[in-house]
Amino acid sequence: MTLEGVDHQLIHYQQKKHLNPEALRILPGGRAYLFVQFAGDTCVMITRAREWGWSRVGRAARCRVTVGCTGRP
């Protein structure tokens, strides 16, 4: 699992410089973000890890989940 925190200053800089417009477009409203990346040997392992993590967050945070898997099914 990888965690990365991003604050509003970095988001503002990227908006100002027109960097990553598609990524910025999908962010939910807010001033700080925590990105969580799960890794595994297969897409099934990654999906299970994501579901485990999501079950811990529940409705406590405003979240947007994007799923991408580039490994084996």
Side-chain angles (χ1 to χ4, degrees), residues 3 7 9 14-15 22 32 37 41 51-52 55 61 63-64 69 71-73:
L3 302 173
D7 70 0
Q9 292 175 332
Q14 290 193 2
Q15 290 169 332
E22 291 187 29
Q37 180 179 9
D41 292 331
E51 289 170 354
W52 175 86
S55 72
C63 300
R64 177 165 305 209
C69 183
R72 297 187 323 251

Side-chain angles (χ1 to χ4, degrees), residues 3-30:
L3 302 173
E4 179 181 0
V6 175
D7 70 0
H8 66 282
Q9 292 175 332
L10 180 59
I11 299 302
H12 176 73
Y13 172 79
Q14 290 193 2
Q15 290 169 332
K16 188 175 167 182
K17 297 289 185 176
H18 305 287
L19 301 173
N20 301 314
E22 291 187 29
L24 294 174
R25 183 179 47 79
I26 65 170
L27 288 175

Side-chain angles (χ1 to χ4, degrees), residues 1 38-40 43-55:
M1 179 185 336
F38 295 100
C43 291
V44 172
M45 290 175 69
I46 295 167
T47 299
R48 286 182 184 154
R50 180 184 55 83
E51 289 170 354
W52 175 86
W54 182 252
S55 72

